[in-house]
């Protein structure tokens, strides 16, 4: 039986394992796809304290090696349920695995809602981005498009407008849904223009690099040249399998604060999967540390 079972191998999950291990606990990390989570889409990370520059993949690899050196076990499986059994937790997976732990940290992350265009996945990190804070500097002096019209899209565009030659907002609805004040700030910028009632129909590439987007507007298909495309049409948490363990808010995120506690003793949450205002690498690892230390305190009181 493990002391801590971590569901999810992103920054929050791996940090939770690290802090548990450093406190003398045993830890298993179960990840369904690849270690690192969303940060692996960032070709260059320059806002992580103590590191001038690294790729998201480098961060993921270094952190994985760090927890393995500390004694973590890992499994590449998809967790489908967590249940209480005789005072401990049983974690089962789609592949038929069953693992027992004294505590569980849910660090399930989120996935970005995509446009559903051919070749889109291959261009993530190579012309398609999701985070202006992370990747905006790569497009300084260049033209970018922003897909979306809510608060997140407007905030991304405001940051990009400070660096880019031109920012083109592309919204599928007849109007922008974000706050009026954000719209005022953004559209007061001389380098920002917008199109509404847009349907994305394709990506324009050359030599494997993004060169523009193809849209349908006013019944006509046209191409808009750009150096980068920031997709800000929402995030999708995948927390439903654990709704009996931790309350969800109306958006599907774990409804908990910075303490990372849930209604179920011995179950904690960490990272982008929980309700929060800021989703960055630094906040994810902070959650991982908080959740792991809470789990250690829980174990020590058993």
């Amino acid at each position: 039986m493990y002391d801590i079972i971590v569901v999810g191998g992103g920054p929050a999950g791996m940090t939770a394992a690290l802090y548990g291990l450093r406190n003398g606990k045993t830890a298993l990390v179960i990840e369904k796809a690849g270690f690192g989570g969303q940060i692996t889409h960032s070709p260059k990370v320059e806002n992580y304290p103590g590191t001038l520059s690294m790729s998201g993949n480098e961060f993921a690899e270094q952190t994985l090696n760090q927890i393995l050196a500390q004694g973590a076990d890992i499994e590449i499986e998809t967790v489908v349920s967590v249940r209480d059994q005789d005072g401990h937790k049983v974690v089962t997976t789609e592949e038929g695995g069953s693992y027992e732990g004294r505590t569980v940290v849910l660090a399930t992350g989120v996935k970005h809602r995509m446009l559903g265009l051919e070749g889109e996945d291959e261009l993530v990190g190579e012309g398609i981005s999701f985070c202006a804070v992370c990747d905006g500097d790569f497009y300084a002096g260049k033209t970018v498009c922003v897909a979306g019209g809510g608060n997140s899209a407007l905030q991304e565009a405001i940051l990009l407008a400070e660096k880019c030659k031109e920012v083109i907002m592309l919204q599928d609805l007849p109007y922008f849904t974000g706050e009026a004040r954000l719209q005022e700030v953004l559209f007061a910028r001389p380098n920002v223009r917008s199109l509404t009632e847009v349907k994305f129909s394709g990506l324009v590439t050359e030599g494997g690099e993004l060169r523009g987007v193809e849209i349908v507007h006013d019944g006509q298909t046209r191409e808009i040249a750009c150096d980068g495309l920031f997709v800000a049409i929402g995030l999708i948490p995948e927390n439903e399998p654990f709704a009996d363990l931790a309350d969800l808010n109306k958006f599907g995120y774990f409804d908990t604060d910075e303490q990372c506690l849930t209604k179920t003793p011995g179950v904690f949450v960490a990272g982008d999967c929980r309700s929060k205002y800021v989703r960055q690498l630094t906040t994810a690892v902070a959650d991982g540390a908080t959740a792991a230390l809470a789990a250690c305190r829980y174990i020590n009181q058993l």
Side-chain angles (χ1 to χ4, degrees):
M1 181 182 296
Y2 291 95
D3 292 318
I4 303 172
I5 296 178
V6 182
V7 180
M14 288 195 287
T15 302
L18 176 64
Y19 269 70
L21 293 162
R22 293 290 295 175
N23 277 271
K25 311 304 182 188
T26 57
L28 166 67
V29 182
I30 307 176
E31 165 59 36
K32 68 179 180 180
F35 283 83
Q38 296 293 333
I39 195 63
T40 60
H41 296 317
S42 294
K44 188 179 291 187
V45 178
E46 296 180 318
N47 59 354
Y48 191 75
T51 303
L52 287 176
S53 179
M54 62 180 171
S55 70
N57 281 322
E58 286 173 334
F59 172 84
E61 182 178 355
Q62 291 170 10
T63 309
L64 178 58
N65 289 337
Q66 187 177 18
I67 65 172
L68 288 173
Q70 294 287 331
D73 288 340
I74 63 171
E75 295 288 348
I76 306 297
E77 297 182 38
T78 300
V79 173
V80 293
S81 71
V82 177
R83 71 179 190 275
D84 276 304
Q85 180 175 298
D86 300 327
H88 64 273
K89 318 301 178 194
V90 178
V91 178
T92 57
T93 69
E94 192 174 87
E95 293 77 7
S98 180
Y99 306 94
E100 297 184 352
R102 293 180 174 84
T103 63
V104 169
V105 175
L106 299 172
T108 52
V110 294
K111 62 181 181 181
H112 288 277
R113 196 181 301 277
M114 305 288 280
L115 295 167
L117 302 175
E118 183 178 352
E120 186 176 8
D121 289 340
E122 290 76 15
L123 286 170
V124 172
E126 301 292 338
I128 293 180
S129 300
F130 305 102
C131 176
V133 173
C134 309
D135 301 334
D137 285 344
F138 303 142
Y139 299 97
K142 299 181 179 181
T143 297
V144 298
C145 289
V146 177
N151 282 348
S152 295
L154 298 174
Q155 290 166 344
E156 295 287 295
I158 289 170
L159 292 173
L160 291 168
E162 296 176 355
K163 305 172 182 181
C164 299
K165 179 178 70 175
E166 184 178 27
V167 177
I168 306 168
M169 300 295 297
L170 301 174
Q171 164 71 315
D172 60 346
L173 297 175
Y175 51 85
F176 289 88
T177 58
E179 296 175 5
R181 179 56 183 159
L182 289 176
Q183 294 187 48
E184 291 173 6
V185 171
L186 176 63
F187 295 122
R189 303 289 181 95
N191 61 334
V192 176
R193 63 186 177 97
S194 66
L195 291 173
T196 57
E197 296 187 271
V198 164
K199 179 181 178 181
F200 288 87
S201 55
L203 300 169
V204 181
T205 61
E206 180 181 323
E209 296 183 358
L210 183 71
R211 289 290 180 262
V213 295
E214 182 184 271
I215 64 169
V216 178
H217 184 248
D218 288 337
Q220 296 185 336
T221 300
R222 56 182 289 196
E223 292 183 2
I224 297 180
C226 63
D227 302 292
L229 170 63
F230 285 77
V231 179
I233 56 174
L235 298 170
I236 306 174
E238 300 176 286
N239 296 332
E240 282 297 333
F242 315 107
D244 58 331
L245 302 169
D247 292 330
L248 305 183
N249 66 16
K250 65 180 180 179
F251 302 108
Y253 294 98
F254 290 124
D255 194 11
T256 186
D257 59 17
E258 283 77 9
Q259 296 184 74
C260 299
L261 306 176
T262 72
K263 64 183 180 183
T264 304
V267 175
F268 309 88
V269 299
D272 288 356
C273 60
R274 76 168 181 85
S275 177
K276 55 166 61 182
Y277 289 105
V278 178
R279 290 183 170 87
Q280 290 287 302
L281 178 58
T282 48
T283 63
V285 298
D287 275 5
T290 298
L293 293 175
C296 291
R297 288 194 298 270
Y298 176 86
I299 293 169
N300 293 341
Q301 294 169 1
L302 292 177

